[in-house]
């Protein structure tokens, strides 16, 4: 992902202190300045590694309802391995989405800055462009592979324009001969249509027009997204696009922070009067004396072990499907990884106790 830098001198340019630079001096720090690349590398890895750790800590406090004692109880019983495992299973999609967006926007800004190295983008390279420069190719490929298996099938078409933008896959440059280019593009679109046409048609019949657009528009955008963009649009993307991407990241992180770390269960407790009580919540710990349950509506219950009659595992509301659409036997709200898991072990019917509203 390294690009050549123009070494042509520029005319005299006033410096920051009011002095005038001599002819042949650089308009700004060179792109390969070791100090700038080191700062970009440090900031990139700080975000890539530090953000997951912060989310993992915050979600315990959110799940505890903001109560200090409940938070301390969760910290004492939720081990770091469980916390990391819960984060990986729930936040991998968010992390891969953020990195894919950074690489796609950064690559477009980088190639636009290389087009005019003496322009404003060239003198002050956008942060996303610097991150795209310092990210190793293997890491970028791994992020796209992670997104491929963790994103919902509904959003997988968005990877096509992101991939074309990140690696600058311009059909004109890849296939200079017009006939070869037309055959390759036609074959790709034909294979893609065979894959998603039944789903798109069913979405139109059910009135799910957003789903139909998500399956039809991204492949067409991927044909034109590569290459430098106009300087005015690049400056707008550098200022507004980067800020919007960060805001969207924070907005998308809210469900990750609020997703429970512990599994949701319904525990049936035998009352001394002969009646049963169903407690809906998350089991924090079990010992020889009590079962500690964080109730879904707040509060902690200590239930004696000998009074527990049964427990069932329940899905959360976010796990219940919204669409009745599939792409070649994969439900559009499942990821490829989840879909393969359902082939191995089909989903069990939801227990009647899970339908009880507390």
């Amino acid at each position: 992902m390294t690009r050549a830098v123009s070494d042509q001198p520029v005319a005299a340019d006033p410096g920051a202190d009011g002095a005038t630079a001599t002819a042949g001096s650089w308009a700004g720090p060179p792109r390969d300045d070791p100090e700038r690349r080191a700062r970009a590398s440090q900031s990139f890895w700080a975000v890539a590694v530090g953000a997951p750790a912060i989310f993992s800590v915050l979600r315990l406090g959110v799940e505890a309802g903001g109560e200090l004692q409940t938070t301390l109880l969760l910290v004492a019983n939720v081990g770091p391995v469980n916390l990391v495992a819960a984060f990986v299973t729930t936040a991998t999609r968010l992390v891969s989405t953020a990195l894919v967006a950074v690489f796609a926007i950064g690559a477009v800004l980088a190639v636009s800055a290389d087009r005019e190295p003496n322009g404003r983008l060239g003198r002050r390279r956008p942060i996303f462009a610097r991150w795209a420069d310092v990210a190793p190719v293997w890491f970028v490929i791994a992020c796209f592979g992670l997104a491929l298996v963790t994103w919902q099938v509904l959003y997988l078409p968005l990877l096509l324009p992101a991939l074309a933008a990140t690696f600058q896959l311009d059909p004109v440059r890849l296939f200079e001969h017009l006939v070869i280019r037309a055959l390759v593009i036609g074959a790709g679109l034909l294979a893609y249509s065979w894959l998603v046409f039944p789903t798109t048609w069913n979405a139109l019949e059910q009135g799910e027009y957003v789903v139909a657009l998500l399956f039809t528009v991204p492949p067409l955008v991927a044909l034109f997204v590569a290459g430098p963009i106009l300087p005015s649009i690049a400056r707008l993307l550098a200022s507004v696009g980067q800020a919007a991407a960060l805001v969207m990241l924070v907005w998308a992180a809210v469900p990750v922070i609020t997703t429970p770390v512990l599994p949701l269960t319904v525990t049936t407790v035998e009352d001394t009067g002969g009646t049963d009580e169903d407690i809906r919540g998350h089991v924090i710990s079990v010992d020889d004396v009590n079962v500690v349950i964080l109730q879904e509506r707040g509060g902690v219950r200590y239930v004696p072990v000998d009074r527990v009659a049964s427990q069932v595992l329940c899905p959360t509301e976010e796990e219940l499907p919204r669409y009745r659409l599939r792409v070649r036997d994969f439900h559009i709200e499942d990821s490829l990884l989840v879909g393969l898991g359902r082939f191995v072990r089909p989903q069990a019917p939801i227990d009647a106790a899970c339908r009880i509203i507390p």
Side-chain angles (χ1 to χ4, degrees):
M1 300 176 63
T2 304
R3 303 175 184 86
V5 182
S6 173
D7 57 355
Q8 294 180 355
V10 296
D13 186 31
D17 57 354
T20 303
T22 58
S25 62
W26 293 105
R31 174 187 156 183
D32 292 329
D33 178 25
E35 183 179 355
R36 171 166 290 190
R37 289 181 64 87
R39 289 198 303 267
S41 179
Q42 292 173 0
S43 60
F44 171 76
W45 289 112
V47 172
V49 176
I54 294 175
F55 286 147
S56 298
V57 175
L58 290 179
R59 66 189 306 175
L60 286 180
V62 173
E63 186 169 357
E67 297 181 1
L68 175 60
Q69 298 303 320
T70 307
T71 302
L72 296 176
L73 180 64
L74 290 177
V75 171
N77 290 277
V78 179
V81 175
N82 294 337
L83 193 60
V84 171
F87 177 82
V88 169
T89 55
T90 57
T92 302
R93 186 184 308 167
L94 170 65
V95 174
S96 61
T97 300
L99 292 175
V100 166
V102 167
F103 295 144
I105 297 175
V108 172
L109 292 176
V111 73
S112 301
D114 291 342
R115 183 182 182 183
E116 295 184 359
N118 298 326
R120 196 165 81 182
L121 281 180
R123 292 196 302 267
R124 186 172 181 80
R125 203 170 184 82
I127 183 64
F128 279 13
R130 298 200 295 270
W131 285 357
D133 292 337
V134 300
V137 177
W138 65 265
F139 184 76
V140 178
I141 296 176
C143 290
F144 273 90
L146 191 62
L148 180 64
V149 298
T150 58
W151 283 16
Q152 294 180 353
V153 174
L154 175 63
Y155 302 110
L156 284 183
L158 296 176
L159 282 178
L160 295 176
L163 188 68
T166 300
F167 293 98
Q168 292 298 297
L169 303 178
D170 189 352
V172 177
R173 293 200 299 266
L174 293 177
F175 309 100
E176 297 183 357
H177 199 283
L178 180 60
V179 176
I180 297 178
R181 183 163 66 246
L183 290 176
V184 172
I185 294 176
L189 292 178
L190 185 63
Y192 181 82
S193 300
W194 171 84
L195 184 65
V196 303
F197 178 77
T199 306
T200 306
W201 183 259
N202 291 336
L204 292 174
E205 289 181 337
Q206 298 177 20
E208 303 290 350
Y209 301 112
V210 175
V211 176
L213 289 176
L214 284 174
F215 280 115
T216 54
V217 174
L220 301 178
V221 175
L223 298 176
F224 309 100
V225 73
I229 56 180
L230 296 176
S232 57
I233 300 178
R235 288 192 294 270
L236 180 64
L237 183 62
S239 57
V240 179
Q242 292 182 156
L246 294 176
V247 171
M248 289 296 293
L249 175 61
V250 174
W251 175 76
V254 173
V256 175
I257 297 178
T258 56
T259 300
V261 177
L262 302 170
L264 178 64
T265 61
V266 172
T267 304
T268 302
V269 180
E270 295 178 345
D271 196 358
T272 54
T275 59
D276 294 340
E277 178 186 5
D278 291 324
I279 302 177
R280 187 182 178 94
H282 310 274
V283 176
I284 300 176
S285 65
V286 179
D287 54 27
D288 296 336
V289 180
N290 293 319
V291 177
V292 185
I293 302 174
L294 176 63
Q295 299 179 107
E296 192 176 39
R297 292 298 180 90
V300 177
R301 288 280 297 271
Y302 289 82
V303 180
V305 174
D306 54 0
R307 290 177 53 191
V308 175
S310 65
Q311 280 185 327
V312 294
L313 191 65
C314 300
T316 59
E317 293 183 1
E318 292 76 13
E319 295 177 271
L320 299 177
R322 294 174 49 201
Y323 301 105
R324 293 180 290 111
L325 298 169
R326 292 181 175 272
V327 178
R328 304 298 174 180
D329 294 333
F330 284 88
H331 192 271
I332 64 172
E333 294 176 87
D334 288 341
S335 64
L336 294 181
L337 197 61
V338 172
L340 291 175
R342 297 198 192 282
F343 290 153
V344 175
R345 197 176 305 278
Q347 186 177 12
I350 299 177
D351 193 282
C354 296
R355 305 181 186 276
I356 298 175
I357 300 176

